[in-house]
Amino acid sequence: EIVLTQSPATLSLSPGERATLSCRASQSFSNYLAWYQQKPGQAPRLLIYDASSRATGIPARFSGSGSGTDFTLTISSLEPEDFAVYYCQQRGNWPLTFGGGTKVEIK
Amino acid sequence: EVQLLESGGGLVQPGGSLRLSCAASGFTFSSYAMSWVRQAPGKGLEWVSAVSHIGTSTYYADSVKGRFSISRDNSKNTLFLQMNSLRGDDTAVYYCAKDNVGFDSWGQGTLVTVSS
């Protein structure tokens, strides 16, 4: 099973700042890496697929990068609605796995 | 508009069974693989199970293998999760999700509580 480790667990930032979230895999796999955003009481929302492709309707301030075992989600300038929990997920190997999440909170 | 509506959750005793359903609309259900993902209270996301678009291939997390069974009825646009031998650590909100290039659509979830 591929274990995904997200860091940091919590990121305290102000609106307008840049957020950089990390997702590290226990072994290399194809770039079938997705990122999701989840707000309290809501279902997750797909942001990024295949490591760097934005899903439909996702603003350009969200970008994904990386390959092999190291992946990054960047939010270029935080909007108030971006404060949430973010999860990475690998879709390259069974069983599918999620990272533990990074909470982006208002500083 | 894609809609996924889960049902079937509730309170069940340890060792009991439940069958979850997910009614899909707004897309060609038979063209997409589907998954169940759960989230224990205050915890992160855990993928549970997946089924191929025609139902011939199924996949499970180790934590549920041998106890849960995923299936689908493409004639009724419905996904199922049969859960047997339920344990306390199965308590969670269960989401169904449409698998495209990622899980691009999710239901609102149904709560399963395993407790005596």
Side-chain angles (χ1 to χ4, degrees):
Chain A
E1 169 178 318
I2 295 178
V3 176
L4 298 178
T5 302
Q6 292 188 240
S7 62
T10 304
L11 199 50
S12 298
L13 295 168
S14 300
E17 289 193 293
R18 182 184 188 90
T20 303
L21 287 66
S22 173
C23 177
R24 179 163 291 176
S26 59
Q27 62 189 82
S28 181
F29 61 98
S30 57
N31 282 358
Y32 293 132
L33 192 285
W35 290 94
Y36 300 85
Q37 177 194 68
Q38 188 179 33
K39 297 179 181 179
Q42 296 184 16
R45 177 174 71 146
L46 177 66
L47 300 175
I48 301 289
Y49 64 92
D50 294 350
S52 61
S53 297
R54 268 189 305 277
T56 302
I58 301 304
R61 65 181 181 272
F62 290 92
S63 63
S65 63
S67 64
T69 60
D70 289 301
F71 299 87
T72 300
L73 174 70
T74 301
I75 311 171
S76 58
S77 178
L78 283 164
E79 297 288 339
E81 62 267 28
D82 298 337
F83 292 92
V85 180
Y86 294 83
Y87 295 95
C88 59
Q89 180 217 8
Q90 67 82 18
R91 303 178 59 249
N93 290 69
W94 300 103
L96 307 185
T97 49
F98 286 92
T102 290
K103 181 179 181 180
V104 178
E105 65 175 23
I106 299 176
K107 186 175 182 180
Chain B
E1 179 193 2
V2 172
Q3 289 197 339
L4 297 170
L5 183 61
E6 302 95 338
S7 61
L11 175 64
V12 62
Q13 292 189 336
S17 298
L18 275 179
R19 189 192 198 202
L20 305 184
S21 299
C22 171
S25 61
F27 65 104
T28 305
F29 181 69
S30 60
S31 295
Y32 294 92
M34 298 291 294
S35 275
W36 289 97
V37 176
R38 69 184 181 184
Q39 187 168 36
K43 302 298 184 182
L45 302 172
E46 180 187 15
W47 172 80
V48 173
S49 183
V51 61
S52 62
H53 66 295
I54 55 174
T56 53
S57 297
T58 58
Y59 308 87
Y60 298 94
D62 287 345
S63 58
V64 306
K65 200 172 294 183
R67 300 187 299 123
F68 290 11
S69 177
I70 191 171
S71 61
R72 64 191 297 160
D73 184 339
N74 284 346
S75 69
K76 296 182 178 178
N77 292 347
T78 305
L79 175 71
F80 302 101
L81 186 67
Q82 177 67 43
M83 305 187 295
N84 299 328
S85 303
L86 283 161
R87 313 185 303 219
D89 60 0
D90 295 318
T91 294
V93 173
Y94 285 74
Y95 297 100
C96 65
K98 169 176 167 276
D99 192 350
N100 190 5
V101 286
F103 295 150
D104 64 353
S105 297
W106 298 66
Q108 278 306 112
T110 186
L111 177 62
V112 172
T113 303
V114 184
S115 175
S116 55

